Amino acid sequence: MTDHIDQDRPGRGDGAAGDAHRAKPTSSAFEIILPALGERPAFEVGEAVSVRDRSPIGHYRVPIYLRGHVGTVVRIIEPVLVDNEAEGYGRNAGSRLHYYRVAFPLTELWSRYEGAPGDELHVEIFETWLERAQ
Amino acid sequence: MATQDFVSRLPNDIGGFEAGSVARVEHVLEPWEKRCHALADVLDFKKIINTEEKRKGVEALGETLIGKLPYYERWIVAFANILFTKELLSPTELAEKMAEVEARFPVESGQGG
Amino acid sequence: MTSVHTDHHDHDHDHAAIEQVDRPGYYEVMETAIRELLIAKGLISAGDIRHQIEVLDSRSPALGAAVVARAWTDPDFKRRLLADGRKGCEELGISFYDDTQLIVLENTSEVHNLIVCTLCSCYPRPVLGLPPDWYKLKPYRARAVSEPRKVLAEFGTHLPDDVEIRVSDSTAAVRYLVLPLRPEGTDDWSPDELAAIVTRDAMIGVIPVTIGGEAA
């Protein structure tokens, strides 16, 4: 929001031509910001999600005991990060997406759980491992 | 057990397994163990071997070796294998260097290397 | 490891075989060889390794204990710490050299937190230093997520069923630090006095902080 263009260019005070590269000091510039790919979380806090039941070989970071189970998103991890599974093959870049902290009742994870019914497990899971629960 | 379960479950994925009671063991790291940890951090910082590659390298040792080797022994063997794969070291080069390092210490009777 | 110079015996017969050499084992030789080769190739430097050893030595449970004591005595700090654990610790000068995030988990009269890494040995190293062996071994990693109350009992920690056990399994770039319950009878204690009773194991969540306790 600078108005110093004319000062920087002495002798070229033609306001009409200068408008094109002048930033407009209005709030509308903020209203039209669009998040880029991956910037907007795919899931919300409180949403029920299930862990995808796939079985990769070679390397993964979602333990088998979580696969296919339904939990609730309790926190969205910021900032977005790369998928640490992809880093296992020496790729140090890749798309950044959100990790979600997901809560599971321990009685949901272990059918023979012997603790108290309110006991829970919390874990961070990369976006591509989650889907909306039915 | 179907063989595919051996393939799709990594040897370190043990959450929920039956196991004995927790013995509260700990030890002060040997100097070489601390150097090994520092080496891991430096290799990750420089992205020569990132942390995830190290984890995958340990998993690649397989269940038997993971069960038999202590913690930093697993790390250093994993580093060797990864450095070979990346062609940053060769097996011959490492073998010769290890012989050179061993030769710095006088051999004594009754204790091999 | 046997040591040449630190092991002097009272009795008089020789231990020539023991006293002669401090011979490195196979894996130590491998570590030395790999490190020296990487340095010779210019991939890393000896200074890098030396510096990182000093970084590791500078991190211990005393840092976590100071964070906990500050949170117990400064409600505004505690709010910031619970909102963003890494930023809260960074306020106190603790850097996150391993580029991890930190979630601080508050124990209350209703919730008791416990941390584990089932897949490997993820641990809040910038704040607590390196983890104890038991944290990296199979019994703790295998059972903390499926029978946490039995595991806690093996540490002498027994909690009533109306206290929720909340186990956090580190699998991503997020690490955890447990903010234990402040023991009763410590209202007039200074932050330093409080930090002195906060143990490493209490910040992992396997035991409570007690007045008789001593910092690890």
Side-chain angles (χ1 to χ4, degrees), chain C residues 36-60:
Chain C
E36 291 183 3
L37 284 168
L38 294 177
I39 290 170
K41 287 168 189 277
L43 289 165
I44 63 171
S45 75
D48 293 336
I49 300 291
R50 266 198 307 276
H51 180 75
Q52 185 57 24
I53 287 172
E54 287 169 11
V55 171
L56 294 173
D57 284 343
S58 74
R59 308 311 172 98
S60 76

PDB file of all heavy atoms in Angstrom, chain C residues 36-60:
ATOM      1  N   GLU C  36      35.023 -41.672   9.432  1.00  0.00           N
ATOM      2  CA  GLU C  36      36.270 -41.181   8.824  1.00  0.00           C
ATOM      3  C   GLU C  36      36.182 -41.154   7.296  1.00  0.00           C
ATOM      4  O   GLU C  36      36.706 -40.238   6.657  1.00  0.00           O
ATOM      5  CB  GLU C  36      37.457 -42.027   9.297  1.00  0.00           C
ATOM      6  CG  GLU C  36      37.750 -41.792  10.772  1.00  0.00           C
ATOM      7  CD  GLU C  36      38.979 -42.553  11.270  1.00  0.00           C
ATOM      8  OE1 GLU C  36      39.642 -43.221  10.454  1.00  0.00           O
ATOM      9  OE2 GLU C  36      39.266 -42.468  12.479  1.00  0.00           O
ATOM     10  N   LEU C  37      35.517 -42.149   6.713  1.00  0.00           N
ATOM     11  CA  LEU C  37      35.361 -42.156   5.253  1.00  0.00           C
ATOM     12  C   LEU C  37      34.502 -40.971   4.789  1.00  0.00           C
ATOM     13  O   LEU C  37      34.822 -40.312   3.800  1.00  0.00           O
ATOM     14  CB  LEU C  37      34.732 -43.478   4.786  1.00  0.00           C
ATOM     15  CG  LEU C  37      35.663 -44.692   4.780  1.00  0.00           C
ATOM     16  CD1 LEU C  37      34.852 -45.979   4.588  1.00  0.00           C
ATOM     17  CD2 LEU C  37      36.722 -44.559   3.684  1.00  0.00           C
ATOM     18  N   LEU C  38      33.422 -40.708   5.511  1.00  0.00           N
ATOM     19  CA  LEU C  38      32.539 -39.604   5.107  1.00  0.00           C
ATOM     20  C   LEU C  38      33.244 -38.259   5.255  1.00  0.00           C
ATOM     21  O   LEU C  38      33.036 -37.343   4.455  1.00  0.00           O
ATOM     22  CB  LEU C  38      31.242 -39.625   5.931  1.00  0.00           C
ATOM     23  CG  LEU C  38      30.322 -40.836   5.697  1.00  0.00           C
ATOM     24  CD1 LEU C  38      29.101 -40.774   6.615  1.00  0.00           C
ATOM     25  CD2 LEU C  38      29.871 -40.913   4.237  1.00  0.00           C
ATOM     26  N   ILE C  39      34.089 -38.157   6.293  1.00  0.00           N
ATOM     27  CA  ILE C  39      34.858 -36.921   6.481  1.00  0.00           C
ATOM     28  C   ILE C  39      35.882 -36.777   5.351  1.00  0.00           C
ATOM     29  O   ILE C  39      36.025 -35.710   4.752  1.00  0.00           O
ATOM     30  CB  ILE C  39      35.538 -36.912   7.867  1.00  0.00           C
ATOM     31  CG1 ILE C  39      34.480 -36.752   8.966  1.00  0.00           C
ATOM     32  CG2 ILE C  39      36.570 -35.778   7.947  1.00  0.00           C
ATOM     33  CD1 ILE C  39      34.994 -36.979  10.377  1.00  0.00           C
ATOM     34  N   ALA C  40      36.568 -37.892   5.021  1.00  0.00           N
ATOM     35  CA  ALA C  40      37.582 -37.846   3.957  1.00  0.00           C
ATOM     36  C   ALA C  40      36.966 -37.459   2.620  1.00  0.00           C
ATOM     37  O   ALA C  40      37.602 -36.808   1.790  1.00  0.00           O
ATOM     38  CB  ALA C  40      38.287 -39.200   3.845  1.00  0.00           C
ATOM     39  N   LYS C  41      35.713 -37.853   2.404  1.00  0.00           N
ATOM     40  CA  LYS C  41      35.040 -37.522   1.143  1.00  0.00           C
ATOM     41  C   LYS C  41      34.438 -36.122   1.170  1.00  0.00           C
ATOM     42  O   LYS C  41      33.821 -35.690   0.193  1.00  0.00           O
ATOM     43  CB  LYS C  41      33.934 -38.541   0.862  1.00  0.00           C
ATOM     44  CG  LYS C  41      34.453 -39.912   0.441  1.00  0.00           C
ATOM     45  CD  LYS C  41      33.335 -40.961   0.466  1.00  0.00           C
ATOM     46  CE  LYS C  41      33.895 -42.357   0.262  1.00  0.00           C
ATOM     47  NZ  LYS C  41      34.097 -42.694  -1.160  1.00  0.00           N
ATOM     48  N   GLY C  42      34.536 -35.457   2.318  1.00  0.00           N
ATOM     49  CA  GLY C  42      34.012 -34.094   2.409  1.00  0.00           C
ATOM     50  C   GLY C  42      32.504 -34.017   2.577  1.00  0.00           C
ATOM     51  O   GLY C  42      31.905 -32.957   2.420  1.00  0.00           O
ATOM     52  N   LEU C  43      31.871 -35.161   2.877  1.00  0.00           N
ATOM     53  CA  LEU C  43      30.408 -35.146   3.030  1.00  0.00           C
ATOM     54  C   LEU C  43      29.992 -34.567   4.381  1.00  0.00           C
ATOM     55  O   LEU C  43      28.940 -33.949   4.506  1.00  0.00           O
ATOM     56  CB  LEU C  43      29.861 -36.568   2.867  1.00  0.00           C
ATOM     57  CG  LEU C  43      29.925 -37.108   1.431  1.00  0.00           C
ATOM     58  CD1 LEU C  43      29.728 -38.613   1.403  1.00  0.00           C
ATOM     59  CD2 LEU C  43      28.894 -36.422   0.551  1.00  0.00           C
ATOM     60  N   ILE C  44      30.795 -34.838   5.397  1.00  0.00           N
ATOM     61  CA  ILE C  44      30.561 -34.261   6.718  1.00  0.00           C
ATOM     62  C   ILE C  44      31.923 -33.811   7.248  1.00  0.00           C
ATOM     63  O   ILE C  44      32.940 -34.111   6.645  1.00  0.00           O
ATOM     64  CB  ILE C  44      29.925 -35.277   7.705  1.00  0.00           C
ATOM     65  CG1 ILE C  44      30.885 -36.462   7.940  1.00  0.00           C
ATOM     66  CG2 ILE C  44      28.590 -35.786   7.187  1.00  0.00           C
ATOM     67  CD1 ILE C  44      30.438 -37.389   9.060  1.00  0.00           C
ATOM     68  N   SER C  45      31.901 -33.104   8.382  1.00  0.00           N
ATOM     69  CA  SER C  45      33.194 -32.723   8.964  1.00  0.00           C
ATOM     70  C   SER C  45      33.266 -33.216  10.403  1.00  0.00           C
ATOM     71  O   SER C  45      32.240 -33.464  11.040  1.00  0.00           O
ATOM     72  CB  SER C  45      33.372 -31.205   8.916  1.00  0.00           C
ATOM     73  OG  SER C  45      32.577 -30.597   9.913  1.00  0.00           O
ATOM     74  N   ALA C  46      34.502 -33.339  10.890  1.00  0.00           N
ATOM     75  CA  ALA C  46      34.688 -33.746  12.282  1.00  0.00           C
ATOM     76  C   ALA C  46      34.043 -32.721  13.209  1.00  0.00           C
ATOM     77  O   ALA C  46      33.487 -33.064  14.250  1.00  0.00           O
ATOM     78  CB  ALA C  46      36.179 -33.890  12.584  1.00  0.00           C
ATOM     79  N   GLY C  47      34.098 -31.466  12.809  1.00  0.00           N
ATOM     80  CA  GLY C  47      33.477 -30.408  13.612  1.00  0.00           C
ATOM     81  C   GLY C  47      31.968 -30.564  13.719  1.00  0.00           C
ATOM     82  O   GLY C  47      31.382 -30.287  14.768  1.00  0.00           O
ATOM     83  N   ASP C  48      31.337 -31.020  12.624  1.00  0.00           N
ATOM     84  CA  ASP C  48      29.882 -31.269  12.653  1.00  0.00           C
ATOM     85  C   ASP C  48      29.551 -32.274  13.759  1.00  0.00           C
ATOM     86  O   ASP C  48      28.606 -32.092  14.518  1.00  0.00           O
ATOM     87  CB  ASP C  48      29.394 -31.871  11.323  1.00  0.00           C
ATOM     88  CG  ASP C  48      29.501 -30.903  10.152  1.00  0.00           C
ATOM     89  OD1 ASP C  48      29.498 -29.686  10.393  1.00  0.00           O
ATOM     90  OD2 ASP C  48      29.587 -31.387   9.003  1.00  0.00           O
ATOM     91  N   ILE C  49      30.313 -33.361  13.791  1.00  0.00           N
ATOM     92  CA  ILE C  49      30.038 -34.422  14.760  1.00  0.00           C
ATOM     93  C   ILE C  49      30.292 -33.922  16.178  1.00  0.00           C
ATOM     94  O   ILE C  49      29.468 -34.106  17.078  1.00  0.00           O
ATOM     95  CB  ILE C  49      30.920 -35.667  14.481  1.00  0.00           C
ATOM     96  CG1 ILE C  49      30.642 -36.217  13.079  1.00  0.00           C
ATOM     97  CG2 ILE C  49      30.685 -36.751  15.539  1.00  0.00           C
ATOM     98  CD1 ILE C  49      29.285 -36.842  12.890  1.00  0.00           C
ATOM     99  N   ARG C  50      31.451 -33.274  16.362  1.00  0.00           N
ATOM    100  CA  ARG C  50      31.770 -32.730  17.700  1.00  0.00           C
ATOM    101  C   ARG C  50      30.678 -31.793  18.168  1.00  0.00           C
ATOM    102  O   ARG C  50      30.210 -31.860  19.302  1.00  0.00           O
ATOM    103  CB  ARG C  50      33.094 -31.967  17.648  1.00  0.00           C
ATOM    104  CG  ARG C  50      34.311 -32.789  18.041  1.00  0.00           C
ATOM    105  CD  ARG C  50      35.488 -31.884  18.399  1.00  0.00           C
ATOM    106  NE  ARG C  50      35.794 -30.896  17.359  1.00  0.00           N
ATOM    107  CZ  ARG C  50      36.562 -31.162  16.296  1.00  0.00           C
ATOM    108  NH1 ARG C  50      37.093 -32.367  16.134  1.00  0.00           N
ATOM    109  NH2 ARG C  50      36.814 -30.228  15.398  1.00  0.00           N
ATOM    110  N   HIS C  51      30.243 -30.911  17.287  1.00  0.00           N
ATOM    111  CA  HIS C  51      29.232 -29.935  17.676  1.00  0.00           C
ATOM    112  C   HIS C  51      27.918 -30.625  18.046  1.00  0.00           C
ATOM    113  O   HIS C  51      27.277 -30.273  19.035  1.00  0.00           O
ATOM    114  CB  HIS C  51      28.992 -28.928  16.548  1.00  0.00           C
ATOM    115  CG  HIS C  51      27.966 -27.900  16.899  1.00  0.00           C
ATOM    116  ND1 HIS C  51      28.226 -26.861  17.762  1.00  0.00           N
ATOM    117  CD2 HIS C  51      26.655 -27.774  16.563  1.00  0.00           C
ATOM    118  CE1 HIS C  51      27.139 -26.134  17.927  1.00  0.00           C
ATOM    119  NE2 HIS C  51      26.169 -26.665  17.208  1.00  0.00           N
ATOM    120  N   GLN C  52      27.533 -31.624  17.240  1.00  0.00           N
ATOM    121  CA  GLN C  52      26.252 -32.289  17.528  1.00  0.00           C
ATOM    122  C   GLN C  52      26.321 -33.073  18.832  1.00  0.00           C
ATOM    123  O   GLN C  52      25.328 -33.176  19.551  1.00  0.00           O
ATOM    124  CB  GLN C  52      25.848 -33.189  16.354  1.00  0.00           C
ATOM    125  CG  GLN C  52      24.466 -33.832  16.508  1.00  0.00           C
ATOM    126  CD  GLN C  52      23.340 -32.814  16.693  1.00  0.00           C
ATOM    127  OE1 GLN C  52      23.457 -31.659  16.283  1.00  0.00           O
ATOM    128  NE2 GLN C  52      22.253 -33.237  17.347  1.00  0.00           N
ATOM    129  N   ILE C  53      27.500 -33.630  19.177  1.00  0.00           N
ATOM    130  CA  ILE C  53      27.646 -34.293  20.478  1.00  0.00           C
ATOM    131  C   ILE C  53      27.409 -33.276  21.595  1.00  0.00           C
ATOM    132  O   ILE C  53      26.728 -33.556  22.582  1.00  0.00           O
ATOM    133  CB  ILE C  53      29.039 -34.950  20.592  1.00  0.00           C
ATOM    134  CG1 ILE C  53      29.085 -36.196  19.697  1.00  0.00           C
ATOM    135  CG2 ILE C  53      29.340 -35.336  22.044  1.00  0.00           C
ATOM    136  CD1 ILE C  53      30.460 -36.823  19.569  1.00  0.00           C
ATOM    137  N   GLU C  54      27.929 -32.074  21.404  1.00  0.00           N
ATOM    138  CA  GLU C  54      27.709 -31.032  22.420  1.00  0.00           C
ATOM    139  C   GLU C  54      26.236 -30.638  22.500  1.00  0.00           C
ATOM    140  O   GLU C  54      25.716 -30.363  23.578  1.00  0.00           O
ATOM    141  CB  GLU C  54      28.583 -29.806  22.115  1.00  0.00           C
ATOM    142  CG  GLU C  54      30.057 -30.058  22.414  1.00  0.00           C
ATOM    143  CD  GLU C  54      30.980 -28.969  21.869  1.00  0.00           C
ATOM    144  OE1 GLU C  54      30.482 -27.905  21.436  1.00  0.00           O
ATOM    145  OE2 GLU C  54      32.193 -29.204  21.868  1.00  0.00           O
ATOM    146  N   VAL C  55      25.585 -30.610  21.336  1.00  0.00           N
ATOM    147  CA  VAL C  55      24.143 -30.317  21.334  1.00  0.00           C
ATOM    148  C   VAL C  55      23.405 -31.387  22.142  1.00  0.00           C
ATOM    149  O   VAL C  55      22.581 -31.074  23.005  1.00  0.00           O
ATOM    150  CB  VAL C  55      23.585 -30.257  19.893  1.00  0.00           C
ATOM    151  CG1 VAL C  55      22.059 -30.170  19.894  1.00  0.00           C
ATOM    152  CG2 VAL C  55      24.179 -29.071  19.134  1.00  0.00           C
ATOM    153  N   LEU C  56      23.727 -32.661  21.870  1.00  0.00           N
ATOM    154  CA  LEU C  56      23.063 -33.756  22.589  1.00  0.00           C
ATOM    155  C   LEU C  56      23.318 -33.641  24.092  1.00  0.00           C
ATOM    156  O   LEU C  56      22.414 -33.828  24.905  1.00  0.00           O
ATOM    157  CB  LEU C  56      23.552 -35.113  22.073  1.00  0.00           C
ATOM    158  CG  LEU C  56      23.188 -35.458  20.624  1.00  0.00           C
ATOM    159  CD1 LEU C  56      23.880 -36.755  20.198  1.00  0.00           C
ATOM    160  CD2 LEU C  56      21.683 -35.581  20.450  1.00  0.00           C
ATOM    161  N   ASP C  57      24.560 -33.310  24.458  1.00  0.00           N
ATOM    162  CA  ASP C  57      24.903 -33.192  25.882  1.00  0.00           C
ATOM    163  C   ASP C  57      24.188 -32.022  26.551  1.00  0.00           C
ATOM    164  O   ASP C  57      24.051 -31.996  27.771  1.00  0.00           O
ATOM    165  CB  ASP C  57      26.427 -33.033  26.045  1.00  0.00           C
ATOM    166  CG  ASP C  57      27.172 -34.355  25.843  1.00  0.00           C
ATOM    167  OD1 ASP C  57      26.513 -35.412  25.914  1.00  0.00           O
ATOM    168  OD2 ASP C  57      28.393 -34.321  25.617  1.00  0.00           O
ATOM    169  N   SER C  58      23.770 -31.058  25.735  1.00  0.00           N
ATOM    170  CA  SER C  58      23.130 -29.878  26.325  1.00  0.00           C
ATOM    171  C   SER C  58      21.644 -30.095  26.585  1.00  0.00           C
ATOM    172  O   SER C  58      20.975 -29.223  27.124  1.00  0.00           O
ATOM    173  CB  SER C  58      23.329 -28.667  25.403  1.00  0.00           C
ATOM    174  OG  SER C  58      22.495 -28.763  24.254  1.00  0.00           O
ATOM    175  N   ARG C  59      21.126 -31.271  26.177  1.00  0.00           N
ATOM    176  CA  ARG C  59      19.684 -31.533  26.361  1.00  0.00           C
ATOM    177  C   ARG C  59      19.504 -32.619  27.409  1.00  0.00           C
ATOM    178  O   ARG C  59      20.079 -33.703  27.301  1.00  0.00           O
ATOM    179  CB  ARG C  59      19.050 -31.980  25.030  1.00  0.00           C
ATOM    180  CG  ARG C  59      19.337 -31.037  23.867  1.00  0.00           C
ATOM    181  CD  ARG C  59      19.044 -29.588  24.235  1.00  0.00           C
ATOM    182  NE  ARG C  59      19.482 -28.663  23.199  1.00  0.00           N
ATOM    183  CZ  ARG C  59      18.676 -28.144  22.281  1.00  0.00           C
ATOM    184  NH1 ARG C  59      17.397 -28.433  22.295  1.00  0.00           N
ATOM    185  NH2 ARG C  59      19.146 -27.307  21.382  1.00  0.00           N
ATOM    186  N   SER C  60      18.698 -32.309  28.426  1.00  0.00           N
ATOM    187  CA  SER C  60      18.475 -33.277  29.501  1.00  0.00           C
ATOM    188  C   SER C  60      17.110 -33.007  30.113  1.00  0.00           C
ATOM    189  O   SER C  60      16.497 -31.968  29.852  1.00  0.00           O
ATOM    190  CB  SER C  60      19.558 -33.118  30.576  1.00  0.00           C
ATOM    191  OG  SER C  60      19.283 -31.972  31.350  1.00  0.00           O
TER     192      SER C  60
END
